[in-house]
Amino acid sequence: MQSNGEGQGQDSDTNNGNNVGAGLGSGTCVASTSSGSEVGSMKKKKRLSQSEEDVIRLIGQHLDGLGLNQTVDLLMQESGCRLEHTSATKFRNHVMEGEWDKAENDLNELRALMHSPNAIVRMKFLLLQQKYLEYLEDGKVLEALQVLRGELTPLKYNTDRIHVLSGYLMCSHAEDLRTKTEWEGKGTNSRCRLLDKLQTYLPPSVMLPPRRLQTLLRQAVELQRDRCLYHNTKLDSSLDSVTLLLDHVCSRSQFPCYTQQILTEHCNEVWFCKFSNDGTKLATGSKDTTVIIWQVDPESHQLKLLRTLEGHAYGVSYLAWSPDDTYLIACGPDDCSELWLWNVPTGELRTKMSQSHEDSLTSVAWNPDGKRFVTGGQRGQFYQCDLDGNLLDSWEGVRVQCLWCVGDGRTVLASDTHQRIRGYNFEDLTDRNIVQEDHPIMSFTVSKNGRLALLNVATQGVHLWDLQDRVLVRKYQGVTQGFYTIHSCFGGHNEDFIASGSEDHKVYIWHRRSELPIAELTGHTRTVNCVSWNPIIPGLMASASDDGTVRVWGPAPFLDTQEVDGLNGNYC
């Protein structure tokens, strides 16, 4: 533990006034009477509510897509509903058959049913564009030219697109045309895609959006997953991967809440740990002056000691992997003026950099190009160097606490002793304020997309900032954070989770959207200085502590679905 001195149906009897005779045949149902021989008396059927109509139409559309046409006809006949307006059905058939003149005439019938009559021009443009491309594909250049000049151009709509279309007249053959237009050619697929576009201009009462039931079901599954606090696997957009009969549930037993290994090879406080970018290795740094590289078994996820890097007289308080994981830079505590750059595959020291014995090089960050890095400390050093430790640039008078290189390759984020994070551009020598806190920023890290920053703030805990909008998004509760340097991290699939060590000997995990922890991991007996989540294996996490151990966390060792809570759910 290093001390730092700065201290979110009613059923309608009138059916909304719609009936078949009103013109909007789709989405309307007729009240019919049952035969006296069936029930012994004349009795009216209950009129369907709007939501009931919608469900029947959705089911009908889905069955129609499966080719169960007779079933659809029976469903519509018995319910008194229509799948879509008769004009829409005619229009659909004419488009799919490539009868473009008839499809254009259908638009005149549909005009009265549309919310925006101006949309007719856009629909006509899409029809004529398909007609034009199909003529070209068939080698009917004169007919295509007539469509371009006599039908598309007079619309006076999207002239830029018309210029592009005219260029396709120069295509030498059909394959050339399909390549340049990125169009799949004449046929059922391209006409179905055209219909999908045309449908967006029609009210759902006239024609249902394509595959509407599948869309709704997919949205329901995604919403359930999004609300699942322990969901930590890739979202599969296919409905084939889940059952729709049960709600989605992820068990805590599948989350990295359980100690899988305790690494005891260090013989003093462990100050830092970091998984490599490819997730195959873990580097740990200790007060015992060593760095240990651990190999991650791809199958069992067990860690095995790969090599020990020795010679850091002041201990190792910070580690940074190069973008390609070839190199590892090690920094020391406040009184350390040296920075060590190791070649990980060979275990050899590439360079040991020290500009002055007065320096304090406690933090480092790699440029995305992997050929440069920045380093600095609280005594006012802020350097940019190459792989041989040669000084390329320096920034005077910045007392650096923590560093991060932005993806643009030019900007460096640095937290300083003024309780802020500033952006420094080494190319044009400009700087600007990005984050301002009311207490010292002990450490920070940035999400993969560069949008969010996670700060450990003295006496305040863990804060999430939006770097683009420069606003504080969330303050996470539970962690004990004083004036010691504790490193938190993003992790899990899509970096949906946040983990941090704590001075109360625990590891805290939050879902990024929730201020309250979803897990408090116990086992360490002293301050937990650093947590690292494997970037490739979402269920693997490591923590380093002053108790001299590194704990590796994973799912429950023996996952028995009969024992996990919430048996009525989908488990991921």
Side-chain angles (χ1 to χ4, degrees), residues 19 67 79 87-88 102 114 171 198 200 202 237 239 241 258 349 430 468 472 474 511 515 519 550:
N19 54 59
S79 65
S87 297
K102 292 181 179 179
M114 297 174 62
C171 292
L198 292 168
T200 61
L202 294 170
S237 59
L239 293 177
S241 63
Y258 303 85
L349 182 65
T430 59
Q468 182 174 311
L472 177 62
R474 197 160 286 115
H511 195 287
E515 294 183 357
V550 175

Side-chain angles (χ1 to χ4, degrees), residues 497-552:
F497 302 97
I498 285 167
S500 178
S502 176
E503 293 179 21
D504 63 3
H505 315 166
K506 296 179 182 179
V507 174
Y508 286 83
I509 302 177
W510 301 266
H511 195 287
R512 206 167 68 189
R513 300 188 312 270
S514 175
E515 294 183 357
L516 296 176
I518 62 172
E520 298 177 20
L521 312 186
T522 59
H524 285 296
T525 58
R526 292 183 64 190
T527 294
V528 181
N529 299 308
C530 183
V531 181
S532 180
W533 209 305
N534 192 294
I536 305 300
I537 307 171
L540 189 63
M541 188 173 65
S543 58
S545 170
D546 279 350
D547 64 13
T549 69
V550 175
R551 283 186 174 250
V552 181

Side-chain angles (χ1 to χ4, degrees), residues 288-312:
D288 67 8
T289 74
T290 66
V291 173
I292 298 180
I293 308 295
W294 308 84
Q295 185 74 44
V296 180
D297 186 285
E299 300 296 330
S300 67
H301 299 167
Q302 292 287 298
L303 273 64
K304 181 176 68 175
L305 194 151
L306 182 64
R307 61 171 42 95
T308 301
L309 310 176
E310 300 176 321
H312 299 266

Side-chain angles (χ1 to χ4, degrees), residues 231-283:
H231 188 80
N232 192 27
T233 56
K234 184 177 181 180
L235 293 177
D236 189 346
S237 59
S238 171
L239 293 177
D240 297 334
S241 63
V242 299
T243 173
L244 300 176
L245 306 180
L246 299 169
D247 286 346
H248 172 86
V249 175
C250 286
S251 167
R252 189 178 187 274
S253 300
Q254 300 161 280
F255 204 68
C257 295
Y258 303 85
T259 301
Q260 291 190 333
Q261 269 183 285
I262 302 176
L263 310 178
T264 59
E265 277 72 5
H266 284 294
C267 58
N268 209 325
E269 298 174 358
V270 188
W271 287 339
F272 201 83
C273 63
K274 186 71 175 178
F275 280 105
S276 58
N277 298 293
D278 64 7
T280 64
K281 297 176 182 67
L282 175 73

Side-chain angles (χ1 to χ4, degrees), residues 458-485:
T459 72
Q460 303 300 299
V462 182
H463 291 179
L464 183 69
W465 280 78
D466 186 313
L467 296 177
Q468 182 174 311
D469 295 338
R470 302 185 197 180
V471 295
L472 177 62
V473 177
R474 197 160 286 115
K475 295 181 179 181
Y476 297 102
Q477 301 178 24
V479 67
T480 303
Q481 168 82 60
F483 285 89
Y484 294 104
T485 301

